[in-house]
Structure formats: C-alpha cells, structure tokens
Amino acid sequence: FLIPLLYCSLSKLDIPSDAILLNLNFINNALPTCTNNSFLIDIMTDESLKEHTVDEISKHNTEGDCWCIIGNASNGGPKVYDITKYLDDHPGGAEVLLDLAGQDADEFFEDIGHSSDARDELKRYLIGALKIDEAELARRAAAAEAKAKKEAEGGSNLVFILIAILAIAFGYYKTQM
C-alpha cells in the first residue's frame, strides 16, 4: 500500500510532490523522526530521481538558472543539483559556482574538502541523477584515463627534477674539493 509523499517542511525544497512514494509501514516508523528536510533527501532512491543528460544540464549555466553535477562512484554516483538559489549564500562567492555551471563539478567539490554541513546543505538542491548512457560512459572513461596519464606524467617529472637537483649538488660538491 503506497501513499503520496510525506510533507515535512518542504517549503525550501523544489521536489515534485510525486517524486517519492513511501510505504505506509515506513511512514509509521519514521514520522516521529521527521524533523527536517534532510529526512526526505535521505529516503530518495536513485530510481525516484529524474535523470538528466549532460546536454540538458549544460544549458543551465547562467546566474538565473544554474545546475551542476556532483558525485561519483565512491559516493553514490553523479547527481544533479539546481544551485541557483544558493549562489548568493555560497561562502566562496557566486563566481566560483558560476564557473562550473552546467558542468561536472565533482572534482572541484571534492578537492576543496567540503564539510559535512556543506554536504547536508547541498542535499537541499538535489533535483535528479545524471543519465549515464553509452556516450557518457565513454566520455567519463576517457576523462579518467587522461587524468591518470597526467598524474603519471607528473610523477615522472618529479623524478626528473630530483635527479637534476642531485646532479647539480654532486657537481657543486666536486668543484669545492
């Protein structure tokens, strides 16, 4: 027996009312703990999220309409967030977010090391999941391969620099004898 979405202070969330259906037994158990918006986000499953393509997301790249992709295989997969209403509240400023508008911002989000409070805040803007078709899989695989190659080259550059420094130090040592 299913009933429509349980409304727990949804005033700040832009989640369609038909996006989530809850089992009656689950509601009976969860009702006393339903005190904030994060409750609703936590119970959303990937199946209940609308899927958005990269092409669709890329069109939302302005101050008045700003979406981004955050997430990867290690944290539940890529999700789509409408952060338009958050631009003015972002501690790093709106420009940081606008630079990544309509794009995959996961690497930047993770590199900054956002707090658990920031991650909880992000949940409020969840609007869907990234639709991963064959083309997107190929694009992501190519990007991961390019990143791995770049990181490997960076390691060899470090070895080269270290050898050069040692050679210079050895040459200097020999000239001082």
Side-chain angles (χ1 to χ4, degrees), residues 99-148:
D99 286 345
L100 299 168
Q103 302 175 48
D104 189 335
D106 183 63
E107 185 176 349
F108 296 98
F109 184 83
E110 295 300 334
D111 286 350
I112 296 297
H114 284 90
S115 67
S116 59
D117 288 342
R119 292 173 189 278
D120 288 342
E121 180 74 16
L122 181 64
K123 290 178 184 179
R124 295 180 54 217
Y125 302 97
L126 178 67
I127 59 168
L130 177 64
K131 182 176 184 175
I132 301 183
D133 55 13
E134 292 297 322
E136 181 60 18
L137 272 175
R139 188 192 70 76
R140 286 182 171 266
E145 186 177 321
K147 182 180 177 184

Side-chain angles (χ1 to χ4, degrees), residues 25-169:
N25 292 333
F26 182 74
I27 291 174
N28 287 337
N29 293 335
L31 193 55
T33 62
C34 183
T35 58
N36 60 38
N37 293 336
S38 67
F39 167 81
L40 291 169
I41 301 301
D42 291 340
I43 61 172
M44 290 180 75
T45 63
D46 287 343
E47 293 80 31
S48 67
L49 293 175
K50 180 178 182 198
E51 290 188 322
H52 302 276
T53 64
V54 171
D55 289 339
E56 178 187 357
I57 296 162
S58 68
K59 296 174 186 173
H60 300 273
N61 59 3
T62 65
E63 191 171 350
D65 185 20
C66 184
W67 292 13
C68 67
I69 304 164
I70 297 176
N72 55 59
S74 68
N75 59 17
K79 302 287 189 280
V80 181
Y81 298 89
D82 181 350
I83 55 173
T84 309
K85 294 178 182 175
Y86 184 66
L87 292 175
D88 292 333
D89 297 330
H90 186 255
E95 288 302 315
V96 173
L97 300 178
L98 289 169
D99 286 345
L100 299 168
Q103 302 175 48
D104 189 335
D106 183 63
E107 185 176 349
F108 296 98
F109 184 83
E110 295 300 334
D111 286 350
I112 296 297
H114 284 90
S115 67
S116 59
D117 288 342
R119 292 173 189 278
D120 288 342
E121 180 74 16
L122 181 64
K123 290 178 184 179
R124 295 180 54 217
Y125 302 97
L126 178 67
I127 59 168
L130 177 64
K131 182 176 184 175
I132 301 183
D133 55 13
E134 292 297 322
E136 181 60 18
L137 272 175
R139 188 192 70 76
R140 286 182 171 266
E145 186 177 321
K147 182 180 177 184
K149 184 178 178 183
K150 185 178 178 182
E151 288 174 355
E153 288 172 355
S156 63
N157 289 341
L158 181 61
V159 171
F160 177 74
I161 292 170
L162 184 59
I163 290 172
I165 290 172
L166 288 174
I168 293 169

